[in-house]
Amino acid sequence: SRYYALVLVQNGSEKSYLADLLMMRGYARLAGVTCDLPGGVQGADDYGRYLLDLGKAARQAKRGAWGRK
């Protein structure tokens, strides 16, 4: 069996999912496994698209690893 976790971190005065922050800042990319999110707020497919959009914005802005040569 495998267990997956969604990690919440304190980001200034609010809490954010670690995956969101990593994608937004250009330190991650999406590949592989999807899962259902807590509370049924978004489906796994919608969340995957959301993370891809964050990664694309990070790439275009050359943030994080995308800005390194």
Side-chain angles (χ1 to χ4, degrees), residues 9-23:
V9 294
Q10 194 70 36
N11 183 25
S13 62
E14 57 188 46
K15 290 185 179 179
S16 301
Y17 286 110
L18 179 60
D20 295 3
L21 292 175
L22 291 173
M23 289 294 287

Side-chain angles (χ1 to χ4, degrees), residues 21-64:
L21 292 175
L22 291 173
M23 289 294 287
M24 192 169 14
R25 294 179 182 175
Y27 290 108
R29 59 188 176 131
L30 188 61
V33 180
T34 61
C35 65
D36 293 327
L37 296 175
V41 178
Q42 296 176 320
D45 291 339
D46 291 339
Y47 191 61
R49 281 191 288 279
Y50 168 72
L51 288 176
L52 285 172
D53 288 344
L54 290 177
K56 183 178 178 182
R59 242 184 343 270
Q60 289 174 340
K62 298 187 181 196
R63 288 192 292 264

